[in-house]
Amino acid sequence: MASEPVNVNEFQELARKVLPKMYYDFFAGGAEDEYTLKENVEAFHRITIQPRILVDVSRIDMSTVILGHKTSAPIILAPSSAHQLAHPEGEVATARGAAACNVIMGLSFMSTCTVEEVASSCNAVRFFQIYVFKKRDVTEFMVRRAEKNGFRAIILTADTPRLGRREADIKNKMISFRLRNFEGFISTDVVSDKGSNLAAYAEETLDPSLCWKDIAWLKSITKLPILIKGVLNGEDAMKAIEAGVVGIIVSNHGARQLDYSPATISVLEEVVQAVQGKVPVLLDGGIRRGTDIFKALALGAKAVMIGRPVIYGLAAKGESGVKQVIEMLKNELELTMALAGCCTVDDITRSHVKTEKERFLCKM
């Protein structure tokens, strides 16, 4: 009998064994040379933790408040598409896993379960992620459905005027999955003989004219707070605040869009400094350990988003795998906080980490 996974990285191998190659490559792959895919993870390895000793850590509290919602830990499940390719219960199983662990879930615009199915599956806080289509009424239709079904915020993904070049999907001739949210409203059938059907569908639907002024349009069609996902520098962070968003997500789309864009943890502090506490900053990308979460919080993130590890847990064990991944990260974070001398997430400060640059300067 195979041994149980002891960390979230081991779920990736379990997922690889159970998923068809096309689907595994879809979830695991990145853009072009996959430089950024590797850097998202490896950049964390170049940050060290500076612990404090002889602190009473007999009680550790990882809870935090995100946009007014109390959560058991500074963890949000990142919106990611097509969970039914990983497991038949899809996003419903993911939602239940998140609810059981008392963390927020982000539901993707490109989910394979409907907004209504996820909303009725369990009682929990959920945010809804959107793309803006050329047919704006499609996006408006989905935003209104999310609001009607009790979602608490909108996440605007802003780094996808076109789909990145995902070469594994091209080689595998990745088929476009069933988008049940759109059935009866727009066609979801695209046939392409040039590689990925998914890329062809994105080319046909995504609006490359989307720009900063369109956030005003988005605000006009919903009362929900809006976060923007895809910020990688201080300049865009300031523009986002001027546009009226309530939160910023530092993200490179899981390294699936522009290869050689920076690892998200490497630009987090620049964004945090530009924002100056006006809105919460979340970090998406590369989180594989509780120590990674600790490092992100020390560099100014309010919370982190977890993407691929959740998918791997879902593929391996369904809802229980999702819960196992979340609990592993929570347990690791709790231990890291105790060993670093931090009783609450507010105790985690910039002085608790050193970047590679800071260590180099100390040696000079």
Side-chain angles (χ1 to χ4, degrees), residues 184-232:
F185 192 68
I186 61 169
S187 172
T188 59
D189 297 323
V190 173
V191 178
S192 173
D193 58 2
K194 297 179 181 179
S196 167
N197 278 9
L198 185 61
Y201 185 73
E203 183 76 16
E204 185 175 294
T205 56
L206 293 175
D207 187 354
S209 74
L210 182 70
C211 57
W212 287 108
K213 66 178 177 61
D214 293 313
I215 293 179
W217 164 77
L218 182 57
K219 291 174 70 177
S220 76
I221 65 170
T222 182
K223 296 177 181 178
L224 294 177
I226 297 166
L227 301 93
I228 190 166
K229 182 172 179 280
V231 173
L232 290 172

Side-chain angles (χ1 to χ4, degrees), residues 236-248:
D236 279 346
M238 289 187 287
K239 287 181 178 178
I241 290 172
E242 291 169 3
V245 304
V246 302
I248 289 172

